[in-house]
Amino acid sequence: MATDVRADRAPAQAAAPPGLHRPTALLFATAGALTVANVYFPQPLLDAIAAGLGVSDTAAGLVATAAQTGYALGIALVVPLADTARLRRLTTWLLALTTTGLLVAAAAPDLLTLTLATAALSTTTVLPQVLMPTAASLAGPAHGGRAVGLIGIGLTLGSTLSRTLSGTVAALGDDWRAAYLVAAALTGALIPVVPRALPERSPGGGARLPYGRLIASLPALLRTHPELRLSAFLGATVFGAFSAFWATLAFHLAAPPFALGPAGAGLFGLLTLPAALLSYRAGRLSDRRGPRYVNLTALGCCALAFAVMGPCGDSPAALVIGANLLVHGGACSQVANQVRIFRLPGEARARLNTVFMLASFCGGALGSLGGTALYARHGWAGLVLGCLALLALAGAGLFRGRRLG
């Protein structure tokens, strides 16, 4: 990436890190945004899905859980291939299968079909986690944080703005299925572009391994690297709280005093855009001051978010402020965690990322499921207390691993 000082002032126009050309970096960020959106865009639609398919809110919450569970499954079974497989062929298949899954979901006649289709398409929409270690390898060790931050802002924008887009599309078309059709079109448009921009194989990849040995090597990485264990724990707890909030927000806004539909819930994605943009600096800050510093500030942002929203759950202003704090803290935490693991040996970067993201999205899936259950039984106060408990666990883990950077 060119070292233009304007990159600090304008994240959206940031240059690529050294070794990672500007057009490639921007394409990676865009592709990451569009594909990661497939995991998150159903969340504002849950109330509309429940009404359209004639099921309860808790049952509709299974769609969000299926999305994150499927994503975790894809990370476990697909992403390790990026260490040794042909990246262009791998990404072509992933994009084609995800597009097909979105079309099946759009035509789903019942909740079971929709849940299974969502799980399947989420399993193959793991392109962002293939791009992330590839970008870190291309950037080099001195600028890994900048590369991760650049791709990370694409993922943050995709996860936040997808909620706005899906809620708006569903409201305009008066049908939640339209959002799945738009997602299929955007994902399919990447097929002729992204694979051609990738190297044939990962620059940091090691010797080719049979698939069974590749997967079997994952537990050994967790045992060998305490840095990986710390990042995985922080990822699971913080993302669990993050996901619990977003999985229940549609239900909270649909109830009095708000009485808002999918567009209202999706609007929160647009309102958190400032927080998403500010998270760009997390990568550069991790390079300069270390991942631990960024983790601490991110955890503080998340805790403050729920402290604001807890007693003021019926205040639109409090929810907007809290959502911004949560988006910023969650995004910065993930960047810091990935910078920590990408400083480990380069020949296993995709598998290190696999273990980290698997832990994070297992936490996210449990957070979505637990969040909807807590909200159904104990309301907004129960949800907030559950999220604060997860953040307290993250704080304890960060304190225990204070020597790991």
Side-chain angles (χ1 to χ4, degrees), residues 11-104:
Q13 298 177 357
L20 186 61
H21 299 300
R22 183 193 298 265
T24 302
L26 294 177
L27 177 61
F28 282 6
T30 302
L34 293 178
T35 51
V36 80
N38 294 327
V39 181
Y40 299 101
F41 82 79
Q43 291 176 352
L45 306 177
L46 296 180
D47 190 61
I49 289 172
L53 296 180
V55 299
S56 68
D57 289 350
T58 302
L62 292 174
V63 175
T65 302
Q68 293 182 351
T69 302
Y71 196 62
L73 187 63
I75 289 167
L77 300 180
V78 178
V79 174
L81 290 170
D83 277 337
T84 60
R86 295 181 177 177
L87 292 179
R88 295 174 183 174
R89 179 182 296 178
L90 176 64
T91 55
T92 299
W93 275 103
L94 292 178
L95 290 168
L97 290 172
T98 300
T99 302
T100 302
L102 287 164
L103 293 173
V104 172

Side-chain angles (χ1 to χ4, degrees), residues 126-214:
V126 292
L127 180 64
Q129 304 313 321
V130 173
L131 298 177
M132 189 73 76
T134 302
S137 296
L138 290 171
H143 302 280
R146 296 172 65 188
V148 171
L150 187 61
I151 308 301
I153 195 172
L155 303 189
T156 302
L157 290 172
S159 63
T160 54
L161 294 181
S162 64
R163 300 180 178 99
T164 302
L165 178 62
S166 65
T168 302
V169 169
L172 291 176
D174 198 26
D175 188 355
W176 57 267
R177 300 175 189 275
Y180 280 88
L181 292 174
V182 171
L186 293 174
T187 303
L190 297 173
I191 295 175
V193 181
V194 174
R196 298 173 64 181
L198 287 164
E200 184 63 25
R201 296 188 184 275
S202 172
R208 298 186 64 181
L209 293 174
Y211 181 73
R213 288 179 60 189
L214 199 66

Side-chain angles (χ1 to χ4, degrees), residues 233-250:
F233 181 76
L234 294 176
T237 49
V238 174
F239 195 60
F242 182 94
S243 299
F245 169 77
W246 286 107
T248 57
L249 181 62

Side-chain angles (χ1 to χ4, degrees), residues 372-392:
T372 52
L374 279 173
Y375 185 79
R377 291 188 178 186
H378 304 290
W380 184 250
L383 168 72
V384 169
L385 289 175
C387 291
L388 286 173
L390 285 174
L391 296 178

